[in-house]
Amino acid sequence: MMQTYFLKFLKRLFLILIFSLQILDSQAQRKLYLSADSLFKQRKFDEAAGLYEKILDSSTNFNPKIYLKLANIYENKGDFVKELYYLNLYSFRFADERVFEKIYMIATENGYKGYEKNDLNYFLYYFRQYSIYVWIGFLLVGIYVFAVFVIKRIDNQFTPTHHKVIFLLYLIFLSVLINLPNNYRTVIIKNEHVYLRDYPSAGSHIVGSITEGHRLNVINSEDIWYQVLWDGKFCYLKRSDILLIH
């Protein structure tokens, strides 16, 4: 009996400790954020950027407007690659048409590829913006069809096999659709001159090179290597040469 009470006491003590640490961390983050904002308003951009990036590194629960402030800082410093990086990070979390247009404008002015207003980029942009409604719509259809199958089963009614197969394919499609934003990753080249290789190895054959600022789609990743599609070719580049957006 005493052991049970002691375990309950330890459990409550542990929960109180975790809750207290979360409060302290939140207060520390807020203090850091206010300091960074103050430096930003004073146009002390280097110091402000350091604090904003410290917040991003140390917490997952932060104000996403930090991305926009960092983009503004690097725009003032003339670092368009870093500006695009933070604008893309914001865009991947929030579908903002003004940010989308800003990204396209910066890329066009600097000759960076991978930001074109093509079907894929538009699809991903609008899908992120309206994904919740898409998921709800497809889920409701799926629930309705599943309910029909159950009712038919209860009433001993025959359900054609091809209907079941179609429903299974529908569920697979729904699963892919829901996980699309998580599986779709892009990178921005951060170094001035990067070699592209045919295999994920430093000793493999160089099939081309790429300069900073370009955005590429990630096909796969192996350790420190990322497989990308560039100029219609599949090739590899190092993790140290890129800024991973998502």
Side-chain angles (χ1 to χ4, degrees), residues 135-147:
W135 295 341
I136 290 172
F138 277 105
L139 282 172
L140 288 175
V141 172
I143 292 169
Y144 171 76
V145 175
F146 181 74

Side-chain angles (χ1 to χ4, degrees), residues 134-162:
V134 174
W135 295 341
I136 290 172
F138 277 105
L139 282 172
L140 288 175
V141 172
I143 292 169
Y144 171 76
V145 175
F146 181 74
V148 171
F149 284 165
V150 170
I151 292 170
K152 281 189 173 185
R153 177 88 179 198
I154 293 171
D155 294 341
N156 293 318
Q157 295 181 26
F158 175 72
T159 301
T161 303
H162 68 275

